Amino acid sequence: MARFEPCLFSQLPGWNEDDHASALACFRQSAIRMAQKPYTTKTLGVDAAALAIAAKAALDCRPENARSFFETSFQPEKLVPHSGSGFVTGYFEPELVASAEKTDRFRYPLLGRPHDLVEIDDTTRPPYLHNSFRFARRTADGLQEYFDRPAIEAGALAGKGLELAWIESPVDGFFVHIQGSARLLMTSGEVWRISYAGKSGHPFTPIGAWLIENGHMRREDVTMQSIRSWLNEDADRAGQLMNRNRSFIFFQRTTQNDPTLGPVAAASVPLSAGRSLAVDHQLHTFGTPLFVATHQPIAGLGDRFQQLMVAQDTGSAIIGPCRGDLFIGSGEQAGEVAGAIRHAADFYLLRPLGSE
């Protein structure tokens, strides 16, 4: 897993230069949620009750006191993996044109959550389902593996009335699935936002790895943009490759209309660009502050990325204690930055004082 090395805030690279007020504003989003319903303590042991106490204090903290708040409420601990280093990627909220009705131009649906999709855990999962499955299909004969991407693309859910909106390109839809949210510019003139509402339960398969293994791309050339270009060149081969990722994502419309914030994510709070972090939610307690420092510059984000972030999201590809996905923001420019992030990084967990 990883070991914890207690350290001083002065040992966090770039801590003194960070915008602590911005980090506090992000943490306060989680604090509002914790005041209503605390999160649950996860495997790495950040105590959710102690975190909720710190979060309550954050609601009364003034922006100019943000640095002092973090330094007096938390103990930093470096997360050291057993081998190698931590690793971060980036994600964003896509923005694309959509229609509320199917037309000749808009033919590819984004689907809402089916009624027969149920969440399962180690106590409710049938023995014949792999222990990685967190979702299943409720049937008269009991819980079964849900339809995967190939089956759904072939029509397994057709006629169920699950279509939330229709878009122009299946490739666009595939990347909306990967990002887990989207801002939809509706043909009616409205702007809709959709966010993650569940998934088929199948493991995420990165198609970039297949492109590398089969000689279509060099590892150093693989970005979100290069994969998209490859998919757009040939519809038939694109469909075959996308179906290799059996995981399928379902969405819901949200009422988060603040353009300065991102979509509502897995931790039930709107994301903050450059401050919200997707983590392995089996390990990290939502709402935990984590300081992330990359080993190399990130184009568009300065010479070094050294910022305090908050665990507010998760993802199928985010596995391990020192693995994170940086939320960059919304729209095309954010996508250009996010798609190129594949960086080694150090992770420092901020453990609330008073927790075990």
Side-chain angles (χ1 to χ4, degrees):
M1 191 87 76
R3 70 177 188 273
F4 300 96
E5 291 185 354
C7 58
L8 303 174
F9 279 98
S10 60
Q11 294 175 291
L12 275 57
W15 173 257
N16 293 344
E17 294 73 38
D18 196 9
D19 181 355
H20 303 93
S22 175
L24 176 66
C26 177
F27 183 63
R28 283 165 64 97
Q29 295 292 335
S30 289
I32 293 169
R33 164 60 165 76
M34 282 186 264
Q36 300 168 346
K37 182 180 179 182
Y39 295 117
T40 56
T41 302
K42 295 298 181 177
T43 304
L44 289 181
V46 173
D47 183 67
L51 189 61
I53 293 173
K56 183 178 180 180
L59 293 174
D60 296 323
C61 181
R62 298 173 64 87
E64 59 267 29
N65 298 327
R67 176 175 171 176
S68 175
F69 163 75
F70 286 115
E71 291 181 347
T72 57
S73 301
F74 296 90
Q75 165 64 50
E77 298 176 357
K78 186 174 183 179
L79 278 172
V80 182
H82 288 321
S83 62
S85 65
F87 185 68
V88 293
T89 48
Y91 73 116
F92 74 112
E93 181 186 36
E95 187 175 271
L96 62 160
V97 180
S99 170
E101 305 291 338
K102 184 178 182 180
T103 68
D104 289 342
R105 176 184 172 189
F106 299 98
R107 298 185 291 123
Y108 302 97
L110 297 169
L111 300 183
R113 179 169 173 158
H115 295 301
D116 58 354
L117 180 72
V118 295
E119 293 189 49
I120 56 176
D121 56 27
D122 292 342
T123 63
T124 58
R125 184 185 304 105
Y128 47 83
L129 287 181
H130 191 273
N131 59 14
S132 64
F133 275 75
R134 299 288 168 178
F135 291 88
R137 182 164 62 98
R138 183 177 57 243
T139 74
D141 297 323
L143 296 176
Q144 303 293 332
E145 181 178 306
Y146 209 81
F147 302 117
D148 63 2
R149 178 178 298 277
I152 294 172
E153 296 291 1
L157 296 179
K160 304 288 187 181
L162 300 175
E163 297 84 1
L164 293 178
W166 300 82
I167 58 177
E168 298 179 80
S169 163
V171 174
D172 285 344
F174 184 79
F175 281 99
V176 170
H177 281 223
I178 291 177
Q179 304 305 319
S181 65
R183 191 192 304 253
L184 304 181
L185 308 180
M186 305 302 292
T187 55
S188 64
E190 298 177 281
V191 177
W192 292 4
R193 297 183 93 162
I194 59 170
S195 64
Y196 170 90
K199 59 183 179 179
S200 64
H202 300 88
F204 174 81
T205 301
I207 62 174
W210 185 91
L211 291 171
I212 295 169
E213 293 167 2
N214 288 272
H216 295 285
M217 287 186 188
R218 298 180 303 171
R219 184 176 299 277
E220 59 269 28
D221 294 332
V222 171
T223 65
M224 182 183 67
Q225 291 79 10
S226 64
I227 294 174
R228 181 188 290 272
S229 295
W230 193 93
L231 293 173
N232 281 330
E233 288 177 3
D234 187 308
D236 289 336
R237 75 176 186 181
Q240 294 172 11
L241 179 55
M242 290 187 293
N243 277 344
R244 288 181 174 272
N245 177 24
R246 298 178 65 202
S247 177
F248 192 94
I249 305 299
F250 302 103
F251 299 94
Q252 60 188 342
R253 280 190 65 182
T254 72
T255 57
Q256 203 308 85
N257 295 317
D258 185 343
T260 67
L261 293 171
V264 174
S268 302
V269 299
L271 301 179
S272 301
R275 295 294 172 179
S276 295
L277 183 71
V279 296
D280 185 338
H281 187 38
Q282 301 304 310
L283 303 177
H284 287 279
T285 302
F286 276 154
T288 301
L290 293 114
F291 192 84
V292 178
T294 65
H295 295 182
Q296 305 90 20
I298 294 178
L301 296 179
D303 292 339
R304 290 289 186 273
F305 185 91
Q306 298 172 333
Q307 293 190 178
L308 181 58
M309 308 193 76
V310 183
Q312 293 179 329
D313 202 1
T314 190
S316 300
I318 312 303
I319 300 174
C322 301
R323 175 73 173 90
D325 211 10
L326 315 177
F327 178 68
I328 302 303
S330 305
E332 183 177 354
Q333 185 174 358
E336 291 290 327
V337 174
I341 299 175
R342 297 178 59 83
H343 287 55
D346 292 325
F347 287 76
Y348 300 82
L349 181 151
L350 271 60
R351 190 181 297 275
L353 296 178
S355 60
E356 295 295 331

